[in-house]
């Protein structure tokens, strides 16, 4: 397999993002209004940008303020999942966000779980992995994934306890960390605990960059790679190779895309 990073979670809505050193971008959506644009961008940049479609647990209101997701937000998206089912590599960004200022009431958290469970059902129906948000709800998110029988999941920007992460590892899930993790020493304990074969790279562009309030770009994925390598006592090259392989294993459709562009991928895992 040729060298190059796979950014497993980013929000790409314009072509001005720098893509230096990035072999593939897996772009997620948050709202139904983004679905068509995400798919059209992937067709404008075939082999580079691949989309996921999903309804995020936090939505924007008409005033652009954030609010907890409602069932109605998902209902309007349901026909679009079917329309674009052959164009996407995963369902996402979906999940739970129990941050108090977004979901302070039990009924809001219950509705988030309804929306989440329905999208997990869609993923199973389409035989697709899921790209997961789990802020302030790591344990609940992993519990629901397991209850729903999900076998392939990426928990992006995971900030739960190491013990909770290991519950996900036992279920076969992967975890990814953006450049902002370099600014949070507590995240090092989680990264150290998770085996390398369960780690992917992400930037979450344009958010969660190495500097607060500065626009993040996919080229910063190298910072995530270097930080994970430092925490685990490995070379960045080893981490790049392993995480790229993990991404191909987690998102089977991107392996098919890469095979169409290059020589077929080897069936062998990276050497330990």
């Amino acid at each position: 397999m040729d060298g190059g990073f796979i950014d497993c979670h980013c929000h790409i809505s314009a072509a001005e993002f720098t893509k230096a050193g990035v072999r593939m971008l897996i772009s997620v959506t948050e709202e139904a209004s983004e679905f068509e644009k995400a798919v059209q961008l992937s067709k404008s940049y075939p082999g580079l940008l691949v989309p996921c479609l999903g309804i995020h647990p936090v939505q924007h209101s008409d005033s652009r303020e954030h609010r907890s997701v409602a069932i109605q937000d998902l209902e309007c998206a349901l026909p679009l999942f079917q329309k674009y089912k052959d164009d996407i590599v995963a369902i996402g960004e979906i999940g739970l966000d129990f941050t108090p200022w977004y979901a302070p009431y039990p009924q809001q958290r219950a509705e988030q779980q309804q929306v989440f469970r329905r999208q997990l059902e869609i993923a199973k129906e389409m035989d697709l992995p899921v790209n997961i948000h789990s802020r302030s709800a790591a344990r609940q998110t992993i519990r629901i994934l397991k209850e729903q029988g999900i076998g392939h999941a990426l928990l992006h920007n995971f900030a739960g306890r190491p013990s909770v992460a290991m519950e996900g590892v036992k279920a076969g899930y992967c975890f990814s960390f953006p450049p902002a993790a370099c600014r949070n020493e507590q995240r090092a304990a989680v990264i150290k605990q998770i085996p390398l074969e369960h780690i992917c790279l992400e930037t979450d562009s344009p958010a969660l960059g190495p500097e607060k309030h500065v626009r993040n770009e996919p080229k910063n994925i190298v910072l995530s790679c270097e930080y994970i390598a430092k925490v685990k006592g490995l070379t960045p090259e080893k981490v790049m190779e392993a995480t790229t392989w993990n991404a191909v294993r987690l998102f089977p459709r991107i392996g098919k895309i890469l095979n169409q562009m290059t020589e077929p991928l080897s069936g062998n895992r990276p050497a330990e």
Side-chain angles (χ1 to χ4, degrees), residues 52-245:
C52 309
L53 300 183
I55 300 298
H56 194 280
V58 177
Q59 298 284 291
H60 293 94
S61 64
D62 292 338
S63 63
R64 303 310 293 170
E65 293 181 353
H66 292 87
R67 60 172 176 80
S68 188
V69 71
I71 294 295
Q72 294 89 332
D73 298 311
L74 175 60
E75 288 176 345
C76 66
L78 293 177
L80 299 176
F81 283 112
Q82 291 298 322
K83 180 178 180 180
Y84 297 120
K85 64 181 180 180
D86 295 328
D87 298 305
I88 61 179
V89 300
I91 301 298
E93 179 178 357
I94 65 175
L96 301 176
D97 192 317
F98 289 173
T99 309
W101 48 88
Y102 292 145
Y105 304 113
Q107 60 265 35
Q108 292 173 315
R109 298 183 178 194
E111 196 161 17
Q112 279 193 24
Q113 292 180 64
Q114 283 184 273
V115 171
F116 184 31
R117 288 181 185 273
R118 179 66 187 101
Q119 291 184 97
L120 294 177
E121 291 173 3
I122 292 170
K124 289 180 67 177
E125 291 165 5
M126 296 183 177
D127 194 23
L128 289 173
V130 288
N131 209 320
I132 298 295
H133 178 99
S134 60
R135 184 164 50 195
S136 300
R139 190 179 298 277
Q140 297 94 325
T141 301
I142 290 175
R143 174 178 55 81
I144 290 175
L145 287 169
K146 293 165 66 176
E147 288 176 356
Q148 296 290 116
I150 298 298
H152 296 88
L154 176 72
L155 287 103
H156 108 93
N157 188 31
F158 187 79
R161 295 176 181 272
S163 60
V164 177
M166 292 310 295
E167 294 177 19
V169 168
K170 291 176 183 177
Y173 304 149
C174 288
F175 300 79
S176 59
F177 302 93
C182 304
R183 296 188 271 109
N184 186 341
E185 286 303 318
Q186 292 181 344
R187 204 70 57 90
V190 179
I191 293 171
K192 187 175 294 186
Q193 186 82 8
I194 298 172
L196 183 59
E197 58 267 27
H198 288 270
I199 292 179
C200 292
L201 299 180
E202 67 156 294
T203 61
D204 202 23
S205 303
L208 299 184
E211 300 178 60
K212 287 185 177 181
H213 312 303
V214 176
R215 174 185 165 105
N216 191 18
E217 296 187 353
K219 69 177 182 180
N220 289 329
I221 198 168
V222 67
L223 302 178
S224 297
C225 180
E226 290 173 348
Y227 183 69
I228 292 168
K230 177 182 176 182
V231 169
K232 288 192 162 296
L234 301 170
T235 65
E237 292 77 15
K238 169 66 176 177
V239 172
M240 181 184 71
E241 180 185 13
T243 55
T244 296
W245 174 264

Side-chain angles (χ1 to χ4, degrees), residues 31-42:
E31 302 179 1
S33 61
E34 299 176 324
F35 282 21
E36 183 175 1
K37 187 172 187 180
V39 172
Q40 291 305 317
L41 272 174
S42 72

